[in-house]
Amino acid sequence: KVSKYRDQQFRYIATLRRAFARGHSPIVSVDAKKKELIGQFKNHGAKWSQTPTLVNDHDFKSDSSGLAVPYGLLDLLANRGHVFVGLSHDTAPFAVAAISKWWEIEGQLRYPKAKKILILADGGGSNGSRNRAWKLELQSNVCNRFGLQVTVAHYPPGTSKYNPIEHRLFSEISKNWAGEPLRDLETMLNFIRTTKTETGLSVSASLIPGDFPTGIKVSKQQVAAIGARFHPALPLWNYTLTPLQNHAKM
């Protein structure tokens, strides 16, 4: 049964992607990348060098200057990536803040006539299918703020590697900084910004300052009040949020 639903969801995602691509509406794959300690720590991978790079022999957080929280967006039609780096927690408000910022500085310039957007996301974490705060934040800070209709399709549990951002963006960033300590935030951002592929991928990087605390509760009543339409096909994983009239911000 799980396999049946998984295959059905993959076919449905493919259908959504074709429909949005035909209308030249943006399709973005999103996810949080592994958190990274900032400092003189060993980074997996190898590099060629005539002199060794000295790193700490233990990865103690107390020896770091901070814990970086990267959240990425991959614009599939344009083959452009953007990674937003926070210094707090990977929460739904942080994830949606990254999406909102991307639309503000890139998306609406690249797609000035767009009225809708398709977001492909994993099934768990800050952008999880059962995360009420994720839906509430999308409604408030993307739908209502920009007047965008947002359709979200989640990949089934255990299939996150098929989310395009994983193999088309995050893997390339990891290869670019392989064997290199992320000494400071600027070093990290520079490795992200210099990530390129032979297929034309280019990547931007930005910091998102501020605190994004965990433990914020969202009630069923709050979610029921948003403009959500759950699709007939696997409604837990597929839904569309429509801008609410007279709500610039909930």
Side-chain angles (χ1 to χ4, degrees):
K1 186 178 289 188
V2 172
S3 176
K4 170 189 172 183
Y5 291 145
R6 181 194 64 194
D7 294 344
Q8 181 183 350
Q9 179 64 358
F10 274 101
R11 290 193 294 270
Y12 191 64
I13 288 174
T15 300
L16 288 173
R17 288 181 61 172
R18 287 193 295 268
F20 274 74
R22 281 196 301 269
H24 302 286
S25 296
I27 306 168
V28 294
S29 171
V30 304
D31 198 13
K33 197 178 187 302
K34 182 177 74 71
K35 299 178 180 68
E36 301 286 351
L37 283 175
I38 301 301
Q40 202 68 19
F41 300 104
K42 176 184 177 182
N43 208 347
H44 292 291
K47 66 165 188 171
W48 292 103
S49 177
Q50 293 183 334
T51 57
T53 300
L54 299 179
V55 295
N56 297 343
D57 56 355
H58 291 88
D59 294 346
F60 293 137
K61 188 176 179 180
S62 58
D63 293 332
S64 74
S65 59
L67 183 67
V69 184
Y71 192 89
L73 295 90
L74 177 62
D75 181 341
L76 297 181
L77 298 183
N79 198 23
R80 297 290 183 267
H82 200 128
V83 178
F84 293 89
V85 178
L87 299 174
S88 179
H89 300 95
D90 177 28
T91 64
F94 171 68
V96 175
I99 295 169
S100 176
K101 191 66 176 176
W102 173 82
W103 183 255
E104 183 180 10
I105 64 179
E106 282 190 37
Q108 64 183 350
L109 301 179
R110 195 173 293 148
Y111 304 97
K113 298 181 179 180
K115 299 298 182 183
K116 59 183 181 178
I117 182 172
L118 173 62
I119 296 176
L120 307 178
D122 285 355
S126 59
N127 46 224
S129 61
R130 298 180 183 274
N131 191 326
R132 295 174 185 171
W134 160 252
K135 296 181 180 70
L136 192 67
E137 289 290 328
L138 279 177
Q139 180 74 62
S140 176
N141 292 312
V142 179
C143 287
N144 297 348
R145 180 180 176 189
F146 299 110
L148 277 176
Q149 184 184 81
V150 178
T151 295
V152 182
H154 293 274
Y155 284 88
T159 64
S160 62
K161 66 180 180 181
Y162 295 102
N163 193 349
I165 196 170
E166 294 290 344
H167 53 268
R168 290 178 53 181
L169 177 60
F170 288 165
S171 63
E172 299 298 331
I173 292 172
S174 295
K175 285 189 281 187
N176 195 39
W177 68 32
E180 294 278 4
L182 304 178
R183 300 177 180 85
D184 49 48
L185 281 172
E186 192 53 45
T187 297
M188 180 182 187
L189 293 171
N190 187 60
F191 276 123
I192 296 172
R193 290 168 181 152
T194 55
T195 299
K196 299 183 184 299
T197 66
E198 293 182 356
T199 58
L201 172 73
S202 65
V203 189
S204 304
S206 306
L207 283 176
I208 293 187
D211 185 34
F212 294 90
T214 60
I216 297 176
K217 303 296 183 182
V218 175
S219 69
K220 291 182 179 179
Q221 290 74 18
Q222 286 176 286
V223 174
I226 67 178
R229 176 180 64 83
F230 293 90
H231 296 195
L234 301 172
L236 174 63
W237 295 334
N238 306 293
Y239 47 89
T240 296
L241 304 172
T242 301
L244 298 176
Q245 297 293 327
N246 303 320
H247 285 73
K249 189 178 178 66
M250 292 180 68

